[in-house]
């Protein structure tokens, strides 16, 4: 009787059954060997991929670590240029390589409005803000009602058809700050006149030097060499990284996430970049808030009060 669980009894001769068993065992062994080889390939491949990933990360760290450190430009100790009365730049020494920037000190009396602008020279919105408000701000800077601190950054370096225009333009601005600081305001404005479009090649180095010359800057040969050599490119990259990682000094802003970043007495402006009325209202509000939180200083005999910021129409 055939067992229901064991199945029908194999009626083949014993030698045939042994041969069939060996053949089956060989097939199973071959299949297992193939599976083992495939698994080893997967494991090895995974190890290789993992190693390559680690190598890539290490490479990035090494490249960042070996980026040559250079002293920063003079008059940019805060990573920006502070422009005050008469459009004169507040002079500061050049910081040593790897030195931490020194944040500028706002007016403690609250009578002078502090405006800080972080801009990329290829950034269309940055151009909108400067073209809308630059002319109106200029007389206020001249008469001491406001100070404007300009921070050139390079966050669109890869958006200029391979020419790295953002980086080159910010480097040129740093060269002007170092060699002809009192031309900085004019040069900053000049870079936003007929501003190159995002994605374009931007201005050539020769065109950048021409715009410097058009401002009437002195020390042109030194500035030209500085632009040609890219003297402050590594510094620009480091300053941009500091803005991107934050925190932003003298404000509650943790890090730069938009461009332009505009701060008035430490408060971020988020209004229209094409409305001088909106910006004027924000400046007046910020000034009022500052006055309300700052003790009124005792009058100084013979000293006139600082004019109230008013944007001309």
């Amino acid at each position: 009787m055939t067992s229901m669980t064991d199945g029908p009894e194999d009626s083949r001769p014993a030698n045939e059954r042994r041969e069939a068993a060996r053949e089956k065992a060989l097939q199973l062994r071959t299949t297992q060997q193939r599976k083992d080889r495939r698994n080893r390939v997967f494991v090895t491949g995974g190890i290789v991929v993992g190693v390559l990933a680690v190598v890539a990360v290490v490479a990035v760290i090494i490249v960042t670590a070996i980026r040559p450190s250079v002293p920063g430009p003079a008059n940019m100790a805060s990573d920006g240029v502070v422009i005050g009365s008469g459009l004169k730049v507040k002079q500061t020494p050049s910081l040593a390589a790897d030195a931490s920037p020194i944040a500028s000190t706002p007016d403690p009396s609250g009578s002078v409005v502090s405006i800080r602008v972080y801009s990329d020279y290829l950034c269309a919105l940055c151009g909108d803000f400067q073209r809308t408000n630059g002319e109106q701000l200029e007389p206020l800077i001249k008469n001491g009602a406001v100070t404007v601190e300009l921070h050139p950054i390079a966050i669109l370096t890869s958006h200029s058809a391979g020419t790295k225009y953002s980086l080159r333009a910010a480097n040129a601005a740093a060269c002007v700050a170092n060699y002809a600081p009192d031309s900085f305001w004019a040069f900053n404005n000049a870079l936003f006149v007929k501003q190159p479009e995002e994605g374009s090649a931007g201005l050539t180095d020769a065109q950048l030097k021409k715009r410097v010359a058009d401002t009437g800057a002195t020390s042109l040969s030194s500035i030209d060499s500085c632009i040609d050599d890219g003297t402050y490119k590594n510094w620009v990259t480091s300053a941009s990284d500091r803005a991107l990682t934050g925190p932003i000094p003298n404000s509650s802003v943790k890090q730069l996430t938009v461009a332009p970043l505009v701060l008035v007495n430490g408060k971020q402006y988020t209004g229209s970049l094409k409305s001088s009325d909106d910006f004027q209202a924000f400046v007046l509000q910020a000034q009022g808030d500052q006055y309300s939180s700052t003790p009124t200083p005792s009058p100084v005999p013979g000293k006139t009060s600082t004019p109230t910021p008013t944007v001309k129409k």
Side-chain angles (χ1 to χ4, degrees), residues 30-96:
T30 301
T31 300
Q32 186 61 45
Q33 287 174 338
R34 289 172 180 170
K35 184 183 297 185
D36 290 343
R37 283 197 299 268
R38 185 168 62 250
N39 288 342
R40 282 197 297 272
V41 169
F42 288 156
V43 170
T44 304
I47 293 173
V48 171
V49 170
V51 170
L52 290 177
V54 172
V55 169
V57 171
V58 172
V60 170
I61 295 173
I62 291 175
V63 167
T64 302
I66 66 175
R67 179 191 296 160
S69 297
V70 297
N75 310 310
M76 297 191 78
S78 65
D79 283 349
V81 170
V82 180
I83 304 172
S85 297
L87 297 180
K88 300 294 184 181
V89 166
K90 178 182 178 181
Q91 296 190 357
T92 61
S94 172
L95 293 182

Side-chain angles (χ1 to χ4, degrees), residues 164-236:
K164 299 184 178 181
Y165 174 67
S166 291
L167 183 61
R168 292 187 296 106
N171 171 74
C175 294
V176 172
N178 189 82
Y179 292 106
D182 290 336
S183 293
F184 193 92
W185 174 257
F187 180 63
N188 181 78
N189 288 340
L191 289 183
F192 289 119
V193 174
K194 295 182 180 179
Q195 181 189 19
E197 294 183 359
E198 293 183 20
S200 71
L203 303 177
T204 64
D205 285 352
Q207 290 171 320
L208 286 171
K209 289 185 279 189
K210 176 66 165 55
R211 294 203 182 188
V212 174
D214 289 344
T215 68
T218 58
S219 304
L220 288 181
S221 61
S222 295
I223 294 174
D224 288 353
S225 296
C226 183
I227 291 174
D228 288 336
D229 296 341
T231 302
Y232 296 115
K233 282 183 177 179
N234 287 329
W235 174 85
V236 168

